[in-house]
Amino acid sequence: MQDVHYREYKILLRPEQFYAPKRFEDYWSELKTIAKKMGVGVTTNDNAFFRQVREVLFYDTPDFELYKNSFILRKRTFYDNGWPRPEHELAVKFRSPDKERAAAMDMAPRMVGAVEVKFKEEILPLKDKIGEMRSLYSHNCIVISPNVILSQGVKDIASVFPAMASVDSDGDSQIDLVNNMAVEEIQVDPGHFDFGHGFEAKATIAIWRNRASENSLVGEFAFQAKFHHYDDIHAKAKKLSEDFFCAAQTLAPEWVQLGTTKTAMVYGFGDRKVEHNE
């Protein structure tokens, strides 16, 4: 079993709040006020509101067998000055509220190249109430490759990512774009927070839009800390980070979107309701 090396705190944001580019700065200003009120250190980056553009695509079987079995298959393309980079980011994730189940999943792929495996704890608000928190554990494999083809069957995908062999499927189901939706992600990296005792976290603010309709889907505020051992996090720093996370909801409720995750939003835009434990 792997130890958690990342703790990422995520809050969904109302898409209607992002009606102009300046709204990234407006929200960051509110967050800085809340942080100072809570005794959290804040640093704003140079070029904090440079807007990065990415295309995000999710793939699954027609019956969403991957997602129903807690897997996420995502391709992300980064753009520089309006042009896509030649290499893509392929992410395979297994997410569960059960830490031991998520940690025990072997996410290593059968391939060579730039591969990174991460095990993180995601801190999320409750699905129907602001001001509180819950944990979801995410075991991720990130692959950087110029050749990403996602039109095969589950059997072909599982030959590269053996963890997916556990999916309840005949193996012949084809992989296709979820709900035929391409997402445009606009993200800024405004700064970072200091919770004391060496516990710091980088912040991001993002908005997701449907590329076809140009409608905004959902926003997200997140901050992530990286560490060598979970037990090394100082109790006071951990408590302060959690208090700030809850305060960011209760002290700026007009920004908060109740729900689960950005991925769940994309899956939920189809004709069928998808049951999942996110």
Side-chain angles (χ1 to χ4, degrees):
M1 283 180 54
Q2 288 202 6
D3 190 17
V4 172
H5 293 290
Y6 298 84
R7 208 171 197 234
E8 187 172 20
Y9 307 68
K10 298 180 176 182
I11 299 174
L12 292 184
L13 304 175
R14 295 180 182 274
E16 61 268 22
Q17 286 283 7
F18 294 89
Y19 53 80
K22 185 178 180 296
R23 296 299 282 168
F24 287 104
E25 298 178 51
D26 294 341
Y27 184 54
W28 181 245
S29 180
E30 288 203 41
L31 290 171
K32 288 195 298 181
T33 299
I34 295 170
K36 290 176 182 178
K37 189 176 296 185
M38 302 292 297
V40 176
V42 187
T43 300
T44 300
N45 292 333
D46 296 332
N47 298 319
F49 301 103
F50 172 76
R51 292 179 290 281
Q52 305 162 59
V53 179
R54 301 157 180 169
E55 180 183 65
V56 183
L57 307 175
F58 294 91
Y59 290 86
D60 209 327
T61 68
D63 292 327
F64 301 152
E65 294 172 87
L66 298 181
Y67 192 64
K68 289 176 181 177
N69 284 274
S70 301
F71 286 100
I72 295 168
L73 180 59
R74 184 195 73 198
K75 174 185 173 184
R76 188 156 62 178
T77 302
F78 296 79
Y79 286 75
D80 295 320
N81 297 319
W83 295 92
R85 295 179 189 173
E87 295 185 324
H88 307 277
E89 177 192 272
L90 181 64
V92 176
K93 301 183 178 186
F94 180 85
R95 294 207 292 214
S96 172
D98 185 330
K99 179 182 177 182
E100 292 187 2
R101 183 174 177 232
M105 189 65 64
D106 183 4
M107 299 302 293
R110 290 176 179 165
M111 64 182 299
V112 296
V115 176
E116 184 177 15
V117 176
K118 297 181 178 180
F119 185 43
K120 64 170 67 174
E121 179 186 14
E122 296 184 359
I123 307 299
L124 308 173
L126 299 186
K127 298 177 183 180
D128 56 359
K129 182 181 180 182
I130 67 171
E132 298 185 35
M133 53 174 277
R134 61 190 178 94
S135 290
L136 186 68
Y137 294 92
S138 183
H139 208 157
N140 308 338
C141 176
I142 308 296
V143 178
I144 306 298
S145 172
N147 300 311
V148 177
I149 300 174
L150 294 173
S151 60
Q152 310 100 317
V154 173
K155 185 184 299 183
D156 297 310
I157 298 295
S159 68
V160 180
F161 299 97
M164 286 188 171
S166 62
V167 172
D168 184 18
S169 171
D170 58 13
D172 295 326
S173 297
Q174 292 300 114
I175 300 295
D176 204 354
L177 189 62
V178 171
N179 287 325
N180 199 33
M181 181 182 291
V183 172
E184 181 182 66
E185 179 184 52
I186 312 296
Q187 179 179 298
V188 300
D189 301 335
H192 66 270
F193 301 108
D194 185 350
F195 301 103
H197 305 278
F199 192 60
E200 298 186 2
K202 297 179 181 180
T204 60
I205 304 171
I207 182 72
W208 278 20
R209 296 196 295 234
N210 184 332
R211 277 208 148 177
S213 66
E214 296 187 353
N215 290 332
S216 295
L217 303 173
V218 68
E220 183 184 76
F221 162 54
F223 55 99
Q224 177 175 272
K226 182 180 179 181
F227 36 82
H228 292 294
H229 301 288
Y230 192 86
D231 291 341
D232 291 341
I233 304 174
H234 195 281
K236 288 185 177 179
K238 183 179 178 182
K239 177 67 164 54
L240 182 57
S241 70
E242 294 172 353
D243 288 346
F244 170 67
F245 176 75
C246 293
Q249 301 171 55
T250 58
L251 299 182
E254 70 279 7
W255 288 86
V256 179
Q257 170 79 52
L258 292 177
T260 54
T261 64
K262 301 193 305 299
T263 303
M265 294 282 290
V266 173
Y267 271 85
F269 271 89
D271 296 328
R272 292 171 288 118
K273 186 177 180 180
V274 186
E275 296 294 336
H276 194 259
N277 59 13
E278 287 191 341

